[in-house]
Amino acid sequence: MTGKAVIALGAAALATGLLSAAPAMAQFAKAEDAVKYRQSSFTLMSNHMGRLAAMVKGERPFDAAAAQDSARVIDAVAKLPWEAFVPGSEKVQSGAKPELFANPADVKMLSERLNGETAKLVAAAGSLDSLRSQVGATGAACKACHDKYRNR
Ligand code: ASC
């Protein structure tokens, strides 16, 4: 093989490798970036679930507008973390158990359960009674996944 042919073959192999890696990593330059992205989304959800929980527990006065704002944040952000459990990110230290990466179909089902509950949270935030029951259902959806796939 000529030197040029070797270079062409090498370039083709590199391009194929990059393309096959592209779908999973397209939005994240490094696995660490993906971990930071998903952790950031869980931080935001936890913060706003905490605000709603405080109203439900009577630690803060119920405020329908504030509750609806938090519910909308939770509902939007609950759609985000899933794409960031990219292959390779299981090697980065995080709260995610290795089992999470071995069970993508189950994780997808649990994420869809959460997304269903957070959609209902927006409608429920208008009154304290409906908020109370839907914060419970939403928290249960968070917990279902944590119990299986999150390190204590
Ligand atoms: C929260 C929060 C969680 C979930 C979980 C539900 O507010 O930060 O991780 O709800 O505690 O059981």
Side-chain angles (χ1 to χ4, degrees):
M1 224 185 300
T2 66
K4 264 187 191 161
V6 170
I7 290 166
L9 204 62
L14 184 64
T16 307
L18 290 177
L19 284 175
S20 62
M25 290 295 287
Q27 312 304 331
F28 308 104
K30 303 190 303 282
E32 286 79 2
D33 295 348
V35 173
K36 189 170 179 182
Y37 180 97
R38 67 191 197 222
Q39 288 177 339
S40 301
S41 59
F42 290 121
T43 297
L44 289 168
M45 283 191 272
S46 179
N47 180 284
H48 285 276
M49 280 295 282
R51 298 185 199 198
L52 296 180
M55 289 187 207
V56 161
K57 290 190 238 159
E59 295 167 1
R60 273 195 219 177
F62 174 68
D63 174 336
Q68 283 167 331
D69 283 346
S70 282
R72 280 190 205 99
V73 171
I74 294 164
D75 186 43
V77 175
K79 297 175 176 70
L80 304 183
W82 321 113
E83 69 164 338
F85 287 99
V86 292
S89 67
E90 73 277 10
K91 298 188 192 83
V92 180
Q93 175 62 42
S94 82
K97 287 184 180 170
E99 289 86 339
L100 185 154
F101 297 91
N103 295 285
D106 189 43
V107 174
K108 185 170 196 292
M109 214 174 64
L110 289 161
S111 73
E112 284 165 358
R113 172 180 165 186
L114 177 67
N115 292 155
E117 296 299 351
T118 64
K120 292 188 222 163
L121 193 59
V122 177
S127 90
L128 186 55
D129 277 346
S130 53
L131 179 65
R132 182 175 291 113
S133 92
Q134 195 53 35
V135 163
T138 304
C142 299
K143 186 174 188 300
C145 197
H146 292 167
D147 285 350
K148 280 178 148 174
Y149 297 121
R150 184 193 197 187
N151 289 314
R152 310 272 97 211

